[in-house]
Amino acid sequence: MAFSAADLQRRHNLEGAPDPFPSLVESPLPKTRNTPQVSSELDTDSHSAFPSLAASTPPAAAAPKTAWAPARKPAVKQAPVFADSFTISSMDLSNSGKDGKPATLGEVMKQVMAKYKVKLEASANQKTRQTTFHLKAETQKELDKAKRSLLALLSPVITLTINAPVSTIASIIGPKGATLKQIRDQTSVRVDIPPRDSLAPNGNGHASGKVTPANGDDEEDQITVPVTLTGPQPLAYEAQAMLNQIISSKTSKSTQRVRDIPGHILPYVLARKAAFLAAAEPETVSLALNAAEREITVNGEREAVGRAVDSIKGTIEHFSSSLTSLKIQLPKRQHRLLVGKSADEILAKARCVVIVAKADEQSDEVTVWGASTDLATGLGAVMEKANSQYIHEFPLPGPIALSKQLLQYMLRIGYPKTLSTAHPGVAVYTPDPKVVEKASILNIDIIGNKADVDGVVRQVSELIGKLIGATQEINVDWLVHRFITGKNAKKLKQFHEVHNVHAFFPPESAEQSTVLLVYDPMSANASPSPDEKKRHLEEVAKEILKLAKDAADVKSQTMTVEKRWHDAVVGKNHTTLNAIIGEDKTLSIKVGAEANAPEGEDVIVLRGASGDVDRAVKEILSIIESAKNDEIVNSYSTEFDIDREYVGRIVGSHGAGVNKLRDQLGVKVDVSDELDDKEKESGGKKKKAVHQKSKVQITGRKENVEEAKKRILAQIERLADETSEILKIPAQYHSSLIGQGGKYAVRLEDKYSVKITFPRQSADNGEGKTREALKSDEVLVKGGKKGVANAKAELLDAVEFEKEANNIIKFTVPNRAVARILGRGGASINEIKDETQAQIDVDKASDDSAVTNITVRGTKKAIAAAKTAIMAIADQVTEETTATVTVESKFHRTLIGAGGQGLRDLVQRCGGPSDTKAQAGLIRFPRQGDAVMDEVRLRGEPKLVAKLKAELEKTVAGLRDRVVLAVDIPAGQHRALIGRGGQHLNELQDRTGAQVQFPGSRSYAQVGEPENAEDVKDVDAANIVKVSGPRAACEKALEELKKQVKPAAVDGPSTTVTVPLKYHHVISQQGAFFRTLRNYGVQVDQSVQPAKSAVPPQPPANGSAARIDDTEADASAVQWEVTANYQDAEEGDSVWTLKAKDQAGLDRAEKQVKDAIEHAGRMSHVGFLTLPDRTMFPRIVGSKGANVARLRQETGADITVSRENSTIVIIGTENDILAAKEAITRMTSSGGRPQRRNGPQD
């Protein structure tokens, strides 16, 4: 049923008012989605209770069809439309009018539509007297704003109160007020939270009274704070729901305590902790024990805490009724063996609890608790523990004052711990402090094995004997202790060095004035004389009393100061009070209740040095006077109204704006919402409704307050001149306009004093994720009119430039060409970028796609050149195919070859490319971790892949037919068969097609065991040669090898010569001697090789055996050291066996060896000639060692030129080595050939 506007006006008593339902759209209303109920009394979501009415205007008729052609719909993409509807049962328009007159419904609707750019329609139900509103907007954000504004204008203003626990207030306010501001902004409801100190105490549990725990639980007391909500009815309920959600989330957890658990039941309760945790499941709780108060605290989810507490209480009740006790008397000293770990062991063993009398009680009573059936076992366990160790009571000598001094000294130096450390099986216990206060005799209990305890007793007795007459107490006011120990710490240390006296000051927190002086009994220079001890103690006491007197005389003073000034004296975090007390802290200041003065809390009590007290009193009076003056000066306050829309900009993000005013001008700025209907608006212009006003209150110095007001009004004036403009800029240019890190956008903002907002990633509701509702191709510029115009012009100019320089072209290339386009490490693509100055992005190809997308950005010329270069590479990559060849892993190394040479040769044999880059990827062998290790993959041009596959299969077939055979060839003939540089071996392998491995080669062990290993098992391993390859090739190679083997020569004559090991180095001449013997046809076998070189080490540079000419560090400086030969040489002989082809060669070799032994015996000295550098060594050595050989022949000395350093070693007689040294020196100085020793020497 449809109603006209006139019908609705009559039903709402609004006759004569303008038509409240003007026609807004020409299309029927879209189907609306359900929305939450806006009234607490009615379910407005129910369309059966509140049916939507048709629009007041009939839908427009459909356009007639044309006979010429079917009508075409425009190709423009339409923006999404968001719609909503809600129903109001009663409207209150009294708050929406002007000049005290209520506004009509139509005026309210026009106001909302104009402000939020939404489409709005209304319909009424005559029977239920309810009005339904339908809204449509381009964004969800504008839709929600319009809905809230309409509800605020049409609904009555109500006030709600929520009693929030004080613990939740911080969560309601949020960090820097963020949560509270969000609630206010979202609902337009005023939320008032009174200051905590303004709450009057009462007993109702709402302000400061204690909450009575439900069901008698000992839950933490909670204070509640009344939070007031004022605003339109539906929005007030919405704000109430948001606050209740915050409160419930913070109060879902609970803490309860089970107090005053009987001491004999507490151990049984602790043993059942697992049961209590199980009772709380599935939630978890935490249990905490306060042993001193005998209470257990349970924390966690409220219901779980209740279950755990019930379980604990049930356990306590069970044991309260089931336990009985038995009392016995045991000496006090044995009580120490029944507490702590021992008590736990008794409980575990006998299920009984043992309770001993307190240490400060005189009673010897021990109580055993347990079930009646367990008491006998428990008593036995107690007696066993009580007699388990030997206990010795060591009484400290009296009177009691001396006993306390001895005990204090032992505790201050940690003597009990020292004894326990020195005697691991012994525990030393000192009296409890409560016992010390009222005892007449003090005992030390020593517990352990008797032998160990006796040793400790003797040690303690010795210490006590040394301490007799070695202690003294003096009284020094505790306020000056810090002065003495601080400024005179060095002097106190000197007391021990000079007088052997320690001074022990009590802890500052104890506020005790007694200082203990002890003549150190453990010092090495301690005197046993009582008179000497007394003299030193009195001298130190005199010095300390003098220091205390010099510090100052101590006095106390009480100041009467009103409580309201105490905070000024104390300061934030006690900073002001700490400044007054000073760094030395020799002054005590107690403020208010802390002073515990009979005058009440309006006092400050000072105690300390007279001068410090007087100074502090003056400073406190000055602080109070300044606080009073500040209160008078800062009492000036002013108030003024601003439009609420400017509040957020004035306050700033997280209060930054008002905080800046406070820091710069020292003023306090408070902003509150006002709902005064009677406020008038001036200027004749249409203003916002009264409830859109906010009140600003500024407090502080008058001149500062006025300046702050001036700044705020000036800012509002600038905001009023503010305009905004949305620029249509395609999203592809946004990143270039923003710049790296936003530097370009920030520069424009700073230059023109504007705010530029680019859209972010779109959300699901069609809006950008920004405060403003921006589409993906929109940019918002906000600020002063002139600044916006200039920023707009510069942005549009930048866009034109980007359009020219930021052209984009997209194309695809086959996936197989991507690797070639990118190049190794991106080399190819980077080269194209550098040459064309274009930006190139290669997308990652998907698994189901055969092509890859490439995007090129830049100028038209650059992107054309880049595309041409990329396509040229892609065209070079022809169609590829792949194939696999099964190759056992044992053949992989053979196929690959050294450094991959085998694969390169294989590719070239098949007509493949010779370039290693082009060869990469043609053949891929399995790698570590691959699932299949015997498949070789081939990829490339089909013809080449086919050839590679055929060649591989052929090669692998040959390898599979490969055998390994062994042949016996004497090791002495191996060198001849291999040939110089392996020439003979390579020729043999080429002729036969087999591989021959001689012992000692790297591949010898890798070839594997030969098939005919049984045939050569008795052959020397050094004579076995392995031949591998196809069987026919191996047999052919074996036949040739056997033909080349020469028959063994008939053994010739031989003899032996004994050579001292120390002569080996001189005789061998680095192997030249043995080569000479081989020329005679003689081979030498040595029974023993020398273990170390016979050449002695080079002596140090500053030794007496040589002189170093270091007067001038020039290039000709040399170093010469001489030492005796064969010193510390290896002793022993080696038997040389000489084997010759004939007797003549043998005789000649034997004579050569004997002459060499005789010559070595004459070589008595070793000279070390060190040159500045090695540049002259080639000249000294000569061509193929000719110069060194000549020098050896001329001088008779053995000359060795080092390859590692610049030292030349010369061995021979003393005259020979000097002659060789002179010849080498002349050679290096003259730069010519060495002079022969034909004439006399200089």
Side-chain angles (χ1 to χ4, degrees), residues 197-220:
D197 53 6
S198 67
L199 299 174
N202 54 56
N204 60 6
H206 294 306
S208 59
K210 292 185 177 180
V211 178
T212 302
N215 302 323
D217 293 339
D218 293 327
E219 189 171 353
E220 290 294 292

PDB file of all heavy atoms in Angstrom, residues 197-220:
ATOM      1  N   ASP A 197      39.818  10.585  41.392  1.00  0.00           N
ATOM      2  CA  ASP A 197      39.872  11.224  42.709  1.00  0.00           C
ATOM      3  C   ASP A 197      38.607  11.989  43.036  1.00  0.00           C
ATOM      4  O   ASP A 197      38.448  12.493  44.152  1.00  0.00           O
ATOM      5  CB  ASP A 197      41.087  12.163  42.784  1.00  0.00           C
ATOM      6  CG  ASP A 197      41.098  13.155  41.630  1.00  0.00           C
ATOM      7  OD1 ASP A 197      40.119  13.181  40.857  1.00  0.00           O
ATOM      8  OD2 ASP A 197      42.096  13.876  41.500  1.00  0.00           O
ATOM      9  N   SER A 198      37.680  12.137  42.058  1.00  0.00           N
ATOM     10  CA  SER A 198      36.437  12.858  42.325  1.00  0.00           C
ATOM     11  C   SER A 198      35.340  11.941  42.822  1.00  0.00           C
ATOM     12  O   SER A 198      34.246  12.395  43.138  1.00  0.00           O
ATOM     13  CB  SER A 198      35.969  13.569  41.043  1.00  0.00           C
ATOM     14  OG  SER A 198      35.594  12.617  40.068  1.00  0.00           O
ATOM     15  N   LEU A 199      35.585  10.637  42.895  1.00  0.00           N
ATOM     16  CA  LEU A 199      34.554   9.696  43.312  1.00  0.00           C
ATOM     17  C   LEU A 199      34.427   9.707  44.818  1.00  0.00           C
ATOM     18  O   LEU A 199      35.410   9.568  45.547  1.00  0.00           O
ATOM     19  CB  LEU A 199      34.916   8.286  42.835  1.00  0.00           C
ATOM     20  CG  LEU A 199      35.040   8.110  41.328  1.00  0.00           C
ATOM     21  CD1 LEU A 199      35.537   6.717  41.012  1.00  0.00           C
ATOM     22  CD2 LEU A 199      33.721   8.374  40.641  1.00  0.00           C
ATOM     23  N   ALA A 200      33.218   9.892  45.310  1.00  0.00           N
ATOM     24  CA  ALA A 200      32.970   9.892  46.743  1.00  0.00           C
ATOM     25  C   ALA A 200      32.895   8.461  47.229  1.00  0.00           C
ATOM     26  O   ALA A 200      32.271   7.616  46.613  1.00  0.00           O
ATOM     27  CB  ALA A 200      31.655  10.616  47.055  1.00  0.00           C
ATOM     28  N   PRO A 201      33.525   8.160  48.379  1.00  0.00           N
ATOM     29  CA  PRO A 201      33.456   6.791  48.874  1.00  0.00           C
ATOM     30  C   PRO A 201      32.056   6.421  49.303  1.00  0.00           C
ATOM     31  O   PRO A 201      31.334   7.223  49.869  1.00  0.00           O
ATOM     32  CB  PRO A 201      34.432   6.793  50.056  1.00  0.00           C
ATOM     33  CG  PRO A 201      34.542   8.215  50.469  1.00  0.00           C
ATOM     34  CD  PRO A 201      34.316   9.047  49.251  1.00  0.00           C
ATOM     35  N   ASN A 202      31.662   5.198  49.015  1.00  0.00           N
ATOM     36  CA  ASN A 202      30.377   4.700  49.440  1.00  0.00           C
ATOM     37  C   ASN A 202      30.464   3.200  49.579  1.00  0.00           C
ATOM     38  O   ASN A 202      31.462   2.600  49.256  1.00  0.00           O
ATOM     39  CB  ASN A 202      29.256   5.084  48.459  1.00  0.00           C
ATOM     40  CG  ASN A 202      29.567   4.662  47.043  1.00  0.00           C
ATOM     41  OD1 ASN A 202      29.821   3.492  46.800  1.00  0.00           O
ATOM     42  ND2 ASN A 202      29.556   5.593  46.109  1.00  0.00           N
ATOM     43  N   GLY A 203      29.443   2.667  50.065  1.00  0.00           N
ATOM     44  CA  GLY A 203      29.468   1.236  50.310  1.00  0.00           C
ATOM     45  C   GLY A 203      28.686   0.426  49.327  1.00  0.00           C
ATOM     46  O   GLY A 203      28.420  -0.731  49.570  1.00  0.00           O
ATOM     47  N   ASN A 204      28.282   0.996  48.205  1.00  0.00           N
ATOM     48  CA  ASN A 204      27.473   0.239  47.262  1.00  0.00           C
ATOM     49  C   ASN A 204      28.292  -0.524  46.244  1.00  0.00           C
ATOM     50  O   ASN A 204      27.755  -1.139  45.340  1.00  0.00           O
ATOM     51  CB  ASN A 204      26.480   1.167  46.541  1.00  0.00           C
ATOM     52  CG  ASN A 204      27.193   2.266  45.764  1.00  0.00           C
ATOM     53  OD1 ASN A 204      28.413   2.263  45.690  1.00  0.00           O
ATOM     54  ND2 ASN A 204      26.434   3.190  45.227  1.00  0.00           N
ATOM     55  N   GLY A 205      29.588  -0.425  46.320  1.00  0.00           N
ATOM     56  CA  GLY A 205      30.431  -1.175  45.388  1.00  0.00           C
ATOM     57  C   GLY A 205      30.589  -0.529  44.047  1.00  0.00           C
ATOM     58  O   GLY A 205      31.153  -1.115  43.153  1.00  0.00           O
ATOM     59  N   HIS A 206      30.139   0.698  43.865  1.00  0.00           N
ATOM     60  CA  HIS A 206      30.235   1.323  42.547  1.00  0.00           C
ATOM     61  C   HIS A 206      31.386   2.304  42.469  1.00  0.00           C
ATOM     62  O   HIS A 206      31.948   2.492  41.413  1.00  0.00           O
ATOM     63  CB  HIS A 206      28.928   2.036  42.205  1.00  0.00           C
ATOM     64  CG  HIS A 206      27.781   1.093  42.035  1.00  0.00           C
ATOM     65  ND1 HIS A 206      27.806   0.030  41.179  1.00  0.00           N
ATOM     66  CD2 HIS A 206      26.562   1.051  42.640  1.00  0.00           C
ATOM     67  CE1 HIS A 206      26.660  -0.639  41.221  1.00  0.00           C
ATOM     68  NE2 HIS A 206      25.893  -0.033  42.126  1.00  0.00           N
ATOM     69  N   ALA A 207      31.694   2.984  43.519  1.00  0.00           N
ATOM     70  CA  ALA A 207      32.743   3.993  43.433  1.00  0.00           C
ATOM     71  C   ALA A 207      34.015   3.515  44.085  1.00  0.00           C
ATOM     72  O   ALA A 207      34.989   3.229  43.441  1.00  0.00           O
ATOM     73  CB  ALA A 207      32.267   5.294  44.071  1.00  0.00           C
ATOM     74  N   SER A 208      34.003   3.417  45.409  1.00  0.00           N
ATOM     75  CA  SER A 208      35.237   3.005  46.063  1.00  0.00           C
ATOM     76  C   SER A 208      35.013   1.949  47.121  1.00  0.00           C
ATOM     77  O   SER A 208      35.941   1.573  47.802  1.00  0.00           O
ATOM     78  CB  SER A 208      35.909   4.231  46.711  1.00  0.00           C
ATOM     79  OG  SER A 208      35.031   4.808  47.658  1.00  0.00           O
ATOM     80  N   GLY A 209      33.797   1.464  47.297  1.00  0.00           N
ATOM     81  CA  GLY A 209      33.555   0.423  48.277  1.00  0.00           C
ATOM     82  C   GLY A 209      34.015  -0.919  47.769  1.00  0.00           C
ATOM     83  O   GLY A 209      34.251  -1.113  46.600  1.00  0.00           O
ATOM     84  N   LYS A 210      34.141  -1.906  48.648  1.00  0.00           N
ATOM     85  CA  LYS A 210      34.584  -3.240  48.252  1.00  0.00           C
ATOM     86  C   LYS A 210      33.421  -4.040  47.705  1.00  0.00           C
ATOM     87  O   LYS A 210      32.338  -4.026  48.253  1.00  0.00           O
ATOM     88  CB  LYS A 210      35.205  -3.980  49.440  1.00  0.00           C
ATOM     89  CG  LYS A 210      36.525  -3.370  49.917  1.00  0.00           C
ATOM     90  CD  LYS A 210      37.154  -4.206  50.994  1.00  0.00           C
ATOM     91  CE  LYS A 210      38.503  -3.634  51.418  1.00  0.00           C
ATOM     92  NZ  LYS A 210      39.119  -4.439  52.477  1.00  0.00           N
ATOM     93  N   VAL A 211      33.652  -4.711  46.632  1.00  0.00           N
ATOM     94  CA  VAL A 211      32.632  -5.568  46.043  1.00  0.00           C
ATOM     95  C   VAL A 211      32.515  -6.829  46.882  1.00  0.00           C
ATOM     96  O   VAL A 211      33.525  -7.460  47.205  1.00  0.00           O
ATOM     97  CB  VAL A 211      32.998  -5.920  44.587  1.00  0.00           C
ATOM     98  CG1 VAL A 211      31.967  -6.851  43.998  1.00  0.00           C
ATOM     99  CG2 VAL A 211      33.117  -4.649  43.766  1.00  0.00           C
ATOM    100  N   THR A 212      31.335  -7.211  47.246  1.00  0.00           N
ATOM    101  CA  THR A 212      31.146  -8.444  48.008  1.00  0.00           C
ATOM    102  C   THR A 212      31.289  -9.618  47.062  1.00  0.00           C
ATOM    103  O   THR A 212      30.529  -9.739  46.099  1.00  0.00           O
ATOM    104  CB  THR A 212      29.749  -8.454  48.658  1.00  0.00           C
ATOM    105  OG1 THR A 212      29.635  -7.303  49.490  1.00  0.00           O
ATOM    106  CG2 THR A 212      29.576  -9.711  49.489  1.00  0.00           C
ATOM    107  N   PRO A 213      32.242 -10.491  47.275  1.00  0.00           N
ATOM    108  CA  PRO A 213      32.439 -11.603  46.347  1.00  0.00           C
ATOM    109  C   PRO A 213      31.238 -12.520  46.317  1.00  0.00           C
ATOM    110  O   PRO A 213      30.617 -12.775  47.342  1.00  0.00           O
ATOM    111  CB  PRO A 213      33.686 -12.322  46.897  1.00  0.00           C
ATOM    112  CG  PRO A 213      34.320 -11.347  47.828  1.00  0.00           C
ATOM    113  CD  PRO A 213      33.202 -10.510  48.369  1.00  0.00           C
ATOM    114  N   ALA A 214      30.881 -12.989  45.104  1.00  0.00           N
ATOM    115  CA  ALA A 214      29.761 -13.901  44.961  1.00  0.00           C
ATOM    116  C   ALA A 214      30.119 -15.246  45.564  1.00  0.00           C
ATOM    117  O   ALA A 214      31.245 -15.715  45.450  1.00  0.00           O
ATOM    118  CB  ALA A 214      29.398 -14.063  43.493  1.00  0.00           C
ATOM    119  N   ASN A 215      29.123 -15.857  46.192  1.00  0.00           N
ATOM    120  CA  ASN A 215      29.272 -17.178  46.783  1.00  0.00           C
ATOM    121  C   ASN A 215      30.401 -17.234  47.818  1.00  0.00           C
ATOM    122  O   ASN A 215      30.980 -18.280  48.070  1.00  0.00           O
ATOM    123  CB  ASN A 215      29.544 -18.243  45.705  1.00  0.00           C
ATOM    124  CG  ASN A 215      28.435 -18.271  44.679  1.00  0.00           C
ATOM    125  OD1 ASN A 215      27.264 -18.084  45.028  1.00  0.00           O
ATOM    126  ND2 ASN A 215      28.778 -18.496  43.425  1.00  0.00           N
ATOM    127  N   GLY A 216      30.699 -16.050  48.374  1.00  0.00           N
ATOM    128  CA  GLY A 216      31.720 -16.034  49.408  1.00  0.00           C
ATOM    129  C   GLY A 216      33.135 -16.222  48.933  1.00  0.00           C
ATOM    130  O   GLY A 216      34.034 -16.439  49.712  1.00  0.00           O
ATOM    131  N   ASP A 217      33.382 -16.128  47.599  1.00  0.00           N
ATOM    132  CA  ASP A 217      34.743 -16.294  47.073  1.00  0.00           C
ATOM    133  C   ASP A 217      35.573 -15.082  47.440  1.00  0.00           C
ATOM    134  O   ASP A 217      35.098 -13.957  47.463  1.00  0.00           O
ATOM    135  CB  ASP A 217      34.726 -16.458  45.544  1.00  0.00           C
ATOM    136  CG  ASP A 217      34.074 -17.765  45.155  1.00  0.00           C
ATOM    137  OD1 ASP A 217      34.027 -18.653  46.018  1.00  0.00           O
ATOM    138  OD2 ASP A 217      33.624 -17.879  44.002  1.00  0.00           O
ATOM    139  N   ASP A 218      36.846 -15.331  47.650  1.00  0.00           N
ATOM    140  CA  ASP A 218      37.751 -14.239  47.997  1.00  0.00           C
ATOM    141  C   ASP A 218      38.305 -13.607  46.737  1.00  0.00           C
ATOM    142  O   ASP A 218      39.496 -13.575  46.503  1.00  0.00           O
ATOM    143  CB  ASP A 218      38.904 -14.760  48.862  1.00  0.00           C
ATOM    144  CG  ASP A 218      38.396 -15.223  50.208  1.00  0.00           C
ATOM    145  OD1 ASP A 218      37.429 -14.622  50.685  1.00  0.00           O
ATOM    146  OD2 ASP A 218      38.966 -16.178  50.757  1.00  0.00           O
ATOM    147  N   GLU A 219      37.451 -13.111  45.878  1.00  0.00           N
ATOM    148  CA  GLU A 219      37.896 -12.495  44.633  1.00  0.00           C
ATOM    149  C   GLU A 219      38.461 -11.118  44.927  1.00  0.00           C
ATOM    150  O   GLU A 219      38.109 -10.473  45.915  1.00  0.00           O
ATOM    151  CB  GLU A 219      36.739 -12.379  43.660  1.00  0.00           C
ATOM    152  CG  GLU A 219      37.186 -11.944  42.271  1.00  0.00           C
ATOM    153  CD  GLU A 219      36.066 -12.040  41.257  1.00  0.00           C
ATOM    154  OE1 GLU A 219      35.025 -12.565  41.627  1.00  0.00           O
ATOM    155  OE2 GLU A 219      36.263 -11.588  40.145  1.00  0.00           O
ATOM    156  N   GLU A 220      39.363 -10.652  44.046  1.00  0.00           N
ATOM    157  CA  GLU A 220      39.967  -9.339  44.210  1.00  0.00           C
ATOM    158  C   GLU A 220      38.883  -8.268  44.249  1.00  0.00           C
ATOM    159  O   GLU A 220      37.956  -8.274  43.454  1.00  0.00           O
ATOM    160  CB  GLU A 220      40.936  -9.048  43.044  1.00  0.00           C
ATOM    161  CG  GLU A 220      42.174  -9.906  43.090  1.00  0.00           C
ATOM    162  CD  GLU A 220      43.031  -9.598  44.288  1.00  0.00           C
ATOM    163  OE1 GLU A 220      43.593  -8.506  44.343  1.00  0.00           O
ATOM    164  OE2 GLU A 220      43.092 -10.440  45.196  1.00  0.00           O
TER     165      GLU A 220
END
